[in-house]
Amino acid sequence: MSLAITIVTTANRTRRFFQTDPARVREVLESLKRCGQLFSGHSLVIVADDTTEVFQPKAITRIEVETQIDLGPWLPPAWDEAGICALDPDDQTAAGSLDNEGLSSCMDFYFEGGDKLHAWIERRHEAGLVERTSRLTHLFEKPCIPYRPLTPGVGFLNPAAMTRFTLGVAAAHPPAGTWHLSEA
């Protein structure tokens, strides 16, 4: 039983931590039950063998938990409803589609400090096309956005540290007030 935790900050610094003690691993996994609060607490404290690191949660862009353990029992129901999977940064997957069936597209998340996550989003919903587009525009209002990282495990994006995101498709029915412009 082991896990690795990667934390990326708005200073575009990456820190990686490991744990193999089963009791300590379970403590970390138990905290995932409150993953919606990862970025809203006063601090995230990590104690290693000979150091203590304290992170300002609002200054974290994303956290990835890498493990072979089935995380289902420790994640909230429907945690994966966002349907976001990380892609290799060099992956040139073709643009997708946004239609009556749902959304499938490349999606890039940009964060304060320069961190970027290249991903694929796959959503099938029964809601109308306009409502699906509206849900995307409300991503900034969520406390935490889960995703599947490149390695087995789970990742969490901090929308408060996100500056923008782009989709590889144009919204057919954008929200009211949308600016229709071409890139220069």
Side-chain angles (χ1 to χ4, degrees):
M1 181 178 269
S2 67
L3 56 82
I5 304 281
T6 302
I7 297 174
V8 183
T9 69
T10 56
N12 208 10
R13 301 287 189 257
T14 301
R15 297 287 291 136
R16 190 157 165 86
F17 304 93
F18 301 92
Q19 185 53 261
T20 57
D21 178 289
R24 296 293 189 203
V25 168
R26 270 193 278 291
E27 288 174 1
V28 173
L29 295 178
E30 280 296 321
S31 74
L32 294 182
K33 290 179 178 176
R34 298 176 307 281
C35 63
Q37 301 169 3
L38 277 174
F39 306 113
S40 62
H42 296 291
S43 59
L44 173 62
V45 180
I46 297 179
V47 177
D49 294 334
D50 55 358
T51 62
T52 300
E53 278 195 57
V54 182
F55 290 87
Q56 160 57 276
K58 292 175 180 70
I60 296 172
T61 63
R62 58 192 165 115
I63 298 173
E64 291 186 353
V65 179
E66 180 182 339
T67 185
Q68 297 293 332
I69 300 167
D70 173 17
L71 296 174
W74 291 284
L75 295 172
W79 75 272
D80 196 23
E81 71 182 21
I84 299 169
C85 297
L87 293 173
D88 184 280
D90 298 323
D91 189 324
Q92 297 298 319
T93 303
S97 65
L98 177 60
D99 55 28
N100 291 332
E101 300 298 317
L103 167 67
S104 58
S105 174
C106 283
M107 187 171 194
D108 291 319
F109 295 92
Y110 297 88
F111 298 91
E112 294 174 23
D115 184 29
K116 175 185 171 186
L117 178 71
H118 184 54
W120 182 262
I121 184 168
E122 188 83 34
R123 282 185 162 179
R124 300 285 177 223
H125 291 290
E126 294 182 20
L129 195 56
V130 174
E131 185 177 336
R132 281 195 298 266
T133 303
S134 175
R135 285 182 189 170
L136 277 175
T137 62
H138 292 290
L139 282 178
F140 292 109
E141 298 168 14
K142 293 185 171 288
C144 175
I145 302 169
Y147 70 98
R148 292 193 183 279
L150 290 171
T151 57
V154 63
F156 304 99
L157 302 176
N158 181 359
M162 203 181 326
T163 59
R164 68 184 170 112
F165 64 84
T166 60
L167 289 171
V169 296
H173 302 284
T178 296
W179 292 7
H180 295 268
L181 301 168
S182 297
E183 289 186 57

